[in-house]
Amino acid sequence: FVEQLLHGLELLRQRGAAVGGEAGGEAGGEAGGAAAAAAGGCDPSKGLCRAITRLLPLVARGRPALVRRLYAHFAPYADFGACDLATGSDAAMHAFMLGCLACVLADPTKRDDKAAGGQAVALAAAAAALKAEAVSAGLAASGAAYLVRNFPAEKGGAPQAQWAAALGRPAVAHVLQLLVPLARGAAETGAHQALLAPEVMLRVHALERQSSSAAKAIGAWAEALLENLREAGQSAKVDELRRSTLASKRKAALDKRQRILSSMGMAQAPIADGGTAAGGGSGKARVVLSRERAALMDELQEEAGHVCVV
């Protein structure tokens, strides 16, 4: 039955590709072909494709041989470097197969809200067995290595161009989408060894702050990945990373404000409140004129008649 469902997926892909090719010629561009391909049933998250990917883990029933066969069907397309280099029909094939794999690995309670009782338990057990197979095959490790290899540790300065180029890679969204279900219950699947490395979390957190579009929800997938790690018992690491970024942003904003004030001949002075704090104040500050600017103001003469106060 697993083979029949996989064959059904392939038929849907071929039908979507045929419809997309015909409409692409009529529309005169890739956009028309992509839209027609989705309408023809080639979108893994919709219609029959979604139903089949929901059934596949359940049909495998957690049996090792069937689970290995199921993952092996998608494994050749988990080469993210090849996905970036693929063009034309090969690119469409990679996108379809990686999308199907993400749907197969997705948490069953998220994928089918109507599942309840024994069906939900069976779906969860089947998905857990498939995720364990994917992790043992190196999917989490290869996805984490892909992010570290293509994204620099810092976004600003010279690496900005490299960061922008990495965001344009086709496999980025697929990598994040695949890592999201693997991060749920990461301690059980073993994915935490790859995903909790500091260099990986730093890049995922940076991607979390990227804007998401309808085509590539990079920021949303990165945020979901970190939230799954929090739920898997790693809330301290995720929260500390976010607090550190917030503190650095606040410091950068204060430094910029100070530079602007200095250019206008002003500065910040602490407000004394009785010296209750260790530093002799509450940490609050007010804006005052510098001594040089104050001396210049004293030398100004009062104007007579109409005065411009702008």
Side-chain angles (χ1 to χ4, degrees):
F1 196 30
V2 171
E3 295 291 346
Q4 292 177 356
L5 290 176
L6 293 175
H7 180 64
L9 271 182
E10 176 60 20
L11 291 178
L12 287 174
R13 185 196 67 79
Q14 292 177 4
R15 187 182 71 176
V19 173
E22 294 174 1
E26 297 175 0
E30 293 183 2
C42 202
D43 188 343
S45 65
K46 297 180 181 178
L48 287 176
C49 285
R50 178 181 180 276
I52 292 176
T53 55
R54 176 190 173 279
L55 280 173
L56 280 169
L58 192 59
V59 170
R61 298 187 299 277
R63 296 183 179 181
L66 291 178
V67 170
R68 285 194 297 269
R69 171 66 188 91
L70 178 55
Y71 181 75
H73 180 75
F74 301 101
Y77 301 95
D79 183 345
F80 304 121
C83 179
D84 284 336
L85 297 175
T87 59
S89 59
D90 289 340
M93 184 70 171
H94 273 87
F96 177 78
M97 297 299 283
L98 289 176
C100 287
L101 179 58
C103 291
V104 169
L105 293 174
D107 185 71
T109 59
K110 298 292 184 182
R111 186 170 54 204
D112 185 7
D113 295 334
K114 296 181 180 179
Q119 183 185 4
V121 173
L123 283 170
L130 189 57
K131 286 192 285 186
E133 174 65 23
V135 172
S136 66
L139 183 61
S142 63
Y146 175 88
L147 296 178
V148 174
R149 182 171 64 252
N150 290 287
F151 288 92
E154 300 294 337
K155 290 177 60 178
Q160 184 65 35
Q162 183 182 352
W163 185 273
L167 286 174
R169 290 178 175 270
V172 174
H174 294 301
V175 169
L176 294 172
Q177 190 177 5
L178 289 169
L179 292 180
V180 166
L182 297 182
R184 184 179 292 276
E188 289 75 15
T189 63
H192 65 290
Q193 296 181 356
L195 300 180
L196 293 180
E199 62 273 14
V200 177
M201 293 192 67
L202 185 66
R203 287 161 172 82
V204 174
H205 176 53
L207 288 169
E208 178 186 25
R209 305 195 298 275
Q210 292 292 326
S211 61
S212 295
S213 64
K216 297 179 69 174
I218 291 177
W221 287 121
E223 181 182 6
L225 174 54
L226 289 179
E227 288 302 315
N228 280 356
L229 288 175
R230 290 185 80 256
E231 295 175 5
Q234 304 299 329
S235 58
K237 292 183 178 181
V238 175
D239 292 343
E240 175 60 28
L241 193 62
R242 288 171 171 169
R243 280 195 300 268
S244 175
T245 299
L246 184 61
S248 64
K249 283 187 173 182
R250 184 179 291 114
K251 182 180 182 301
L254 291 175
D255 291 343
K256 182 178 180 180
R257 182 171 184 264
Q258 183 60 43
R259 288 194 300 270
I260 294 174
L261 290 174
S262 298
S263 67
M264 300 170 63
M266 293 181 281
Q268 287 183 315
I271 300 176
D273 61 352
T276 57
S282 63
K284 297 180 179 179
R286 60 177 178 173
V287 177
V288 297
L289 281 174
S290 64
R291 292 183 179 179
E292 295 79 5
R293 187 59 59 92
L296 181 62
M297 294 289 289
D298 291 340
E299 295 176 0
L300 294 177
Q301 300 294 326
E302 287 289 338
E303 299 184 36
H306 297 290
V307 179
C308 177
V309 294
V310 176

